[in-house]
Structure formats: structure tokens, C-alpha cells
């Protein structure tokens, strides 16, 4: 077990070695349920309002969300890059977005020689400027690049925990095309890829592609909105949930769709993704052209696609948590199994731990001595792994290990000889 390596180097961890501890109380200034639970369970550490650090457990959740997105973006032909946090003023001047009156979330600073620099709130212009140095002719297109990056935004309010950070992780992707048709086709492909991502996060059923404002080239952009009481947006959905419209464009969108807005009901929701078609508007502003097959210079068609990685983590906590704690969907849980050894003699639990490791099961092992059973149970509920396995004198007397799903009230006794097969069947 490599505790100090990159998280994917270990599939298992002893809780006695984990430096984070659970807490009874969240910081008193923390009002959001997602952050309260994540801090109490030791997934996140609050640095200041809207600024959170992530512990080994929290990092594993974020890495799992990212890995799902990475797989779907790679399948759609995206190539992963990483941009910089420091940006040039000139990068944003061409589109008018250096101006604080246009973009009101900028953090800005100065180099020693007084050169102004921006701290990345977005990478749209920055990535396009970089792509311009590589993409010259129609032969270089289409191209699609994406990254996972920390965005810094001086948000006015930060009361939604990790759902609205002043520092947060986003996946942003940009696609470049020679024609509108090609852009449209790719855009639809990414809509499908996004749907797969939200399904894999476990929030597919409550996430809708909505008409939203902010389209530069088309009238609307598309947002992915997840129904969630803690969300800051309002979504209008019809009964069979086949139409979903953002409040801000309700009149416009219902007019466009030819539907009566009284059939739509408001629900609270969180924006977990946003995609735009820029067409040639941005490339014309920035001077990003390609040479077509006849040798003529033409502006590149552009679209951009964002997913709020840390916001998704917050939304999942908000949606599934119960009064005992977090409930992770198996796909993004830091570990699939939380193994609890109770009592002083942990020889049997140690053996099960090793068996689970050998079988390739991701397992967090509560091997702490001197901690009461009740406290271990409470911690397991707070931490929220999908499956809890208890090895105690009593469970052994009853015939093996007690196995319980996080949302079940009763566990079942599984003989130790069947335990691995049983766990593998569940996950
Ligand atoms: P919002 O309307 O919530 O302020 P936005 O429209 O400014 O978000 P985009 O620039 O579209 O955000 O960013 C893409 C995605 O990044 C959003 O759909 C959202 O999921 C996420 N996101 C945006 N701002 C934040 C933030 N402050 N904290 C966490 N995630 C965010
Ligand atoms: Mg948006």
C-alpha cells in the first residue's frame, strides 16, 4: 500500500493510517449541507468561504468524476491538455473580456515589472490563442481539446459550499471546425457524451439538457441542469419531463418551442454543465483563420463545453445524503467497501482485508483499536461507502461477515468463504 503515492496507486487504506478524522460539527460559518458533510467526514477542508482543499478521500472522488469525463471525452476524440493559471492581458483584450465591467469575476495581479496578468477564470480565449499557433489549414481540422483546470472566480456570494467556489475544478473542452455542419454534428455528439457522464455519476435521471441564454451564435446555449433543492437555478419542466427550460429564457424558449408555459412547473436545480456554439464570432474577433482547399482564409467555427467537476461532487452529496451522512453512488465512491473490524481481536478482519485487496476490491478498513463499535458505525454512515462489511465476534458467531448496503436498514450474514464472490457480484 502506497499512502504517499498518487491515489490510484492504492486500492485500499487502513483508517488508522488516514490522517483525516471525522468531526461531530462542521465550521459554524458553513451553511451548505454538501460542505458541512464533506468537512465533517474529512473529504474537504475549508480554507475560506468558497475555497476548499481536498483530502485523500475527497481527491479520490474528484479523480473518479474526472476519469469518467476523461473516458467520455477521449471517446469523442478529445485530446487532453493543461493550460496555465496565469494569463496575459492581451489574450483577453481582443474580445473585450479583460474589462472588469464585462467580466466581473476577474482576479488580477502584476508581475514585478508591473505587467498586468490575469488569474484564469476561464480558458476560452487562452486555449484558442494556443490552438491558433498549431491550426493553419483545413487539413488540421477538426480539432478538439480539453482540460481539467482550477478556475479562479471572484464570485460575489459563496454560500453553496463546494457547489459555488471561488476556486473550483472545471472540465472545459473546445472544438474547432471548418464548417457549421461539422460543428453542429460534433456538438450533438458531445451532448450525448455529457448525458453518459451524468448517468455514470448517478444523476442521469434528474439531469436535463435545457435551453439557456448566452448563446452567441445561436439564440440559446444548452445547460445541463440537475434537479436539486440546494441548486441556485430554477428550471421549468413539463410533466413527462421531456421539456426543460431555464427560468431566465422561459418566455423566449416557450415561444420558440410553441408550447404553453403553464404546462411547465418550476423546480430548483443546479447547473452542472454548459455548452455553447460560438460559430465564427469569436474566431473573427480573435483573428483565428484557416486556409481552405482553395487557399482562401476563412474563420474557424468554434464551440465550447464545460462540466463543473467539483460542483457535481457537491450536487451528488446534496441529492443522496440522508440524516446519517453521505451516500455515494458506487461509480464515484472513494472506496467500494468499508470494512469494519470490531473488538480487540482483528485477526479475522485483517484476513478479510487482505482477501479483498487480493481480489482487487477498493476497500477502506476501519482497523482502529480503542474506538467503540457505535462510533465506527456512525463514521461508516457519515463517510458513505456503498457497502459496509462488519467482522465482529457476534457476526462470526452468526456465521460470517455482516454485509449491508449504505441505504439498507438491515444487513445480511455472508459466510467468509463466500464473501469475496458476494462482494464482486454486488460491484
Ligand atoms: P453559474 O451560472 O452557476 O455562475 P457559469 O454559467 O458562470 O455558472 P460556466 O462558465 O458556464 O459557469 O462554467 C461551466 C460549469 O462550471 C458550470 O456549468 C458549472 O457547473 C461550473 N461552475 C461555474 N461556476 C462555478 C463555481 N463558482 N463553483 C463551482 N462550479 C462552477
Ligand atoms: Mg454557464
Amino acid at each position: 500500500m502506497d499512502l504517499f503515492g498518487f491515489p490510484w496507486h492504492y486500492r485500499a487504506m487502513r483508517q488508522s493510517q488516514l490522517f483525516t478524522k471525522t468531526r461531530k460539527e462542521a465550521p459554524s460559518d458553513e451553511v451548505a449541507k454538501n460542505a458541512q458533510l464533506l468537512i465533517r467526514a474529512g473529504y474537504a477542508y475549508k480554507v475560506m468561504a468558497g475555497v476548499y482543499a481536498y483530502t485523500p478521500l475527497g481527491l479520490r472522488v474528484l479523480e473518479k468524476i474526472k476519469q469518467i469525463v476523461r473516458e467520455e471525452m477521449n471517446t469523442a476524440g478529445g485530446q487532453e491538455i493543461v493550460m496555465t493559471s496565469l494569463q496575459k492581458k492581451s489574450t483577453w483584450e481582443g474580445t473585450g473580456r479583460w474589462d472588469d465591467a464585462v467580466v466581473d469575476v476577474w482576479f488580477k495581479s502584476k508581475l514585478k515589472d508591473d505587467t498586468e496578468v490575469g488569474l484564469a477564470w476561464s480558458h476560452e480565449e487562452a486555449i484558442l490563442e494556443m490552438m491558433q499557433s498549431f491550426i493553419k489549414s483545413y487539413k488540421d481540422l477538426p480539432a478538439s481539446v480539453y482540460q481539467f483546470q482550477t478556475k479562479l472566480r471572484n464570485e460575489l456570494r459563496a454560500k453553496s459550499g463546494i457547489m459555488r467556489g471561488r476556486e473550483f475544478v472545471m472540465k472545459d473542452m473546445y472544438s474547432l471546425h471548418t464548417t457549421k455542419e461539422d460543428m453542429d454534428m460534433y456538438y450533438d455528439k458531445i451532448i450525448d457524451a455529457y448525458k453518459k457522464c451524468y448517468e455514470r455519476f448517478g444523476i442521469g435521471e434528474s439531469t436535463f439538457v435545457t435551453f439557456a441564454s448566452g448563446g452567441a451564435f445561436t439564440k440559446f446555449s444548452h445547460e445541463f441542469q440537475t434537479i436539486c433543492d440546494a441548486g441556485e437555478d430554477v428550471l421549468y419542466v413539463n410533466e413527462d419531463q421531456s421539456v426543460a427550460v431555464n427560468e431566465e429564457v422561459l418566455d423566449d424558449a416557450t415561444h420558440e418551442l410553441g408550447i404553453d408555459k403553464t404546462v411547465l412547473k418550476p423546480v430548483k436545480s443546479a447547473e452542472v454543465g454548459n455548452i455553447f456554439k460560438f460559430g465564427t464570432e469569436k474566431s473573427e474577433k480573435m483573428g483565428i483563420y484557416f486556409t481552405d482547399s482553395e487557399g482562401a482564409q476563412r474563420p474557424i467555427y468554434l464551440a465550447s463545453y464545460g462540466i463543473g467537476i467539483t460542483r457535481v461532487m457537491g450536487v451528488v452529496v446534496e441529492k443522496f445524503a440522508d440524516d446519517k451522512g453521505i451516500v455515494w453512488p458506487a461509480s464515484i465512491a472513494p472506496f467500494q467497501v468499508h470494512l469494519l473490524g470490531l473488538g480487540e481481536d482483528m485477526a479475522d478482519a485483517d484476513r478479510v482485508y487482505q482477501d479483498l485487496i487480493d481480489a482487487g476490491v477498493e476497500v477502506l478498513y476501519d482497523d482502529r483499536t480503542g474506538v467503540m463499535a457505535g462510533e465506527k458505525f456512525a463514521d461508516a454512515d457519515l463517510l458513505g461507502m456503498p457497502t459496509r462489511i462488519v467482522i465482529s465476534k457476534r457476526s462470526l458467531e452468526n456465521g460470517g461477515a455482516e454485509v449491508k448496503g449504505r441505504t439498507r436498514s438491515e444487513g445480511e450474514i455472508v459466510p467468509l468463504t463466500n464473501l469475496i464472490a458476494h462482494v464482486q457480484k454486488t460491484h
Side-chain angles (χ1 to χ4, degrees):
M1 184 181 56
D2 176 11
L3 249 182
F4 301 102
F6 192 70
W8 302 113
H9 290 179
Y10 57 88
R11 301 186 69 94
M13 187 186 275
R14 287 174 179 268
Q15 214 167 323
S16 61
Q17 304 293 307
L18 194 61
F19 75 83
T20 58
K21 308 280 180 284
T22 58
R23 301 167 45 162
K24 291 254 173 337
E25 305 286 340
S28 56
D29 64 338
E30 186 55 72
V31 293
K33 178 170 81 174
N34 66 82
Q36 285 178 351
L37 285 170
L38 289 166
I39 293 167
R40 283 187 48 216
Y43 286 89
Y45 169 77
K46 185 172 191 170
V47 175
M48 61 177 120
V51 182
Y52 300 89
Y54 295 92
T55 66
L57 291 174
L59 181 59
R60 284 181 79 94
V61 176
L62 287 177
E63 290 297 330
K64 289 200 171 184
I65 295 172
K66 283 163 64 177
Q67 188 55 25
I68 288 172
V69 175
R70 181 177 283 126
E71 285 170 17
E72 297 302 336
M73 295 307 111
N74 288 351
T75 302
Q79 297 180 23
E80 188 170 348
I81 60 169
V82 65
M83 296 300 291
T84 64
S85 292
L86 289 181
Q87 298 179 332
K88 288 183 299 185
K89 180 180 178 180
S90 61
T91 304
W92 294 90
E93 277 178 330
T95 55
R97 297 213 287 175
W98 179 257
D99 189 345
D100 291 325
V102 177
V103 172
D104 64 359
V105 293
W106 269 118
F107 285 106
K108 291 176 181 171
S109 189
K110 280 186 179 156
L111 303 182
K112 297 277 189 207
D113 68 0
D114 273 352
T115 307
E116 285 180 281
V117 290
L119 278 61
W121 66 279
S122 157
H123 289 82
E124 241 151 44
E125 274 77 336
I127 285 194
L128 296 174
E129 192 176 85
M130 181 190 84
M131 293 307 281
Q132 185 180 23
S133 74
F134 293 104
I135 307 289
K136 302 290 179 205
S137 101
Y138 70 98
K139 290 182 190 151
D140 304 324
L141 293 166
S144 169
V145 294
Y146 73 96
Q147 64 169 347
F148 298 96
Q149 250 278 12
T150 298
K151 309 290 182 201
L152 301 158
R153 293 188 183 179
N154 202 349
E155 301 272 4
L156 185 61
R157 273 179 285 277
K159 292 208 168 111
S160 299
I162 69 164
M163 289 170 65
R164 180 169 300 284
R166 297 200 163 97
E167 181 173 331
F168 63 95
V169 180
M170 192 201 289
K171 184 282 304 183
D172 45 328
M173 179 187 240
Y174 308 85
S175 71
L176 298 80
H177 310 268
T178 54
T179 63
K180 177 181 176 304
E181 291 68 37
D182 197 50
M183 173 186 72
D184 288 347
M185 232 162 56
Y186 195 74
Y187 189 86
D188 289 344
K189 187 163 156 177
I190 298 301
I191 290 184
D192 287 340
Y194 269 41
K195 285 182 185 163
K196 283 207 191 103
C197 290
Y198 299 113
E199 268 166 35
R200 292 180 64 186
F201 303 150
I203 53 174
E205 273 174 30
S206 52
T207 301
F208 298 91
V209 188
T210 74
F211 291 92
S213 65
F217 173 70
T218 46
K219 190 163 180 190
F220 302 109
S221 74
H222 289 100
E223 284 180 358
F224 290 78
Q225 290 275 355
T226 308
I227 294 177
C228 174
D229 287 338
E232 294 180 12
D233 295 345
V234 175
L235 191 64
Y236 280 77
V237 287
N238 70 341
E239 200 102 295
D240 64 10
Q241 304 195 323
S242 58
V243 181
V245 178
N246 282 20
E247 187 172 44
E248 42 167 4
V249 295
L250 185 61
D251 287 327
D252 250 11
T254 45
H255 179 73
E256 191 105 336
L257 295 167
I259 54 169
D260 179 0
K261 71 177 178 194
T262 59
V263 304
L264 301 175
K265 299 270 172 293
V267 283
K268 291 185 86 179
S269 66
E271 180 192 324
V272 289
N274 198 183
I275 60 177
F276 295 85
K277 287 179 190 176
F278 293 117
T280 57
E281 193 206 318
K282 207 181 264 292
S283 48
E284 280 173 69
K285 269 192 194 157
M286 292 182 71
I288 305 177
Y289 289 82
F290 71 98
T291 314
D292 71 12
S293 55
E294 264 105 56
Q297 290 287 298
R298 299 204 348 233
I300 290 179
Y301 282 83
L302 294 170
S304 86
Y305 319 84
I307 291 185
I309 300 293
T310 37
R311 184 174 289 178
V312 164
M313 180 173 174
V315 166
V316 167
V317 173
E318 290 281 345
K319 281 192 77 72
F320 300 124
D322 59 19
D323 55 354
K324 299 194 190 80
I326 296 170
V327 177
W328 293 116
S331 60
I332 63 169
F335 296 95
Q336 301 309 305
V337 168
H338 200 162
L339 173 67
L340 274 52
L342 304 185
E344 291 310 306
D345 179 8
M346 295 220 195
D348 288 296
D350 281 346
R351 266 193 295 279
V352 168
Y353 180 53
Q354 192 56 50
D355 288 347
L356 288 166
I357 291 174
D358 294 344
V361 177
E362 293 177 311
V363 51
L364 176 65
Y365 175 27
D366 193 344
D367 61 334
R368 294 174 297 171
T369 49
V371 176
M372 302 294 284
E375 199 178 320
K376 291 194 176 188
F377 287 132
D379 277 0
D381 281 338
L382 179 60
L383 276 124
M385 304 316 153
T387 301
R388 188 188 78 187
I389 300 180
V390 176
I391 309 279
S392 64
K393 200 157 160 269
R394 199 170 79 193
S395 77
L396 293 169
E397 279 165 11
N398 286 340
E402 189 224 33
V403 182
K404 187 183 91 64
R406 169 65 180 79
T407 53
R408 295 281 168 94
S409 52
E410 296 292 325
E412 57 177 317
I413 294 292
V414 178
L416 294 188
T417 45
N418 291 353
L419 188 60
I420 298 299
H422 182 90
V423 169
Q424 282 172 331
K425 205 169 67 209
T426 327
H427 295 290

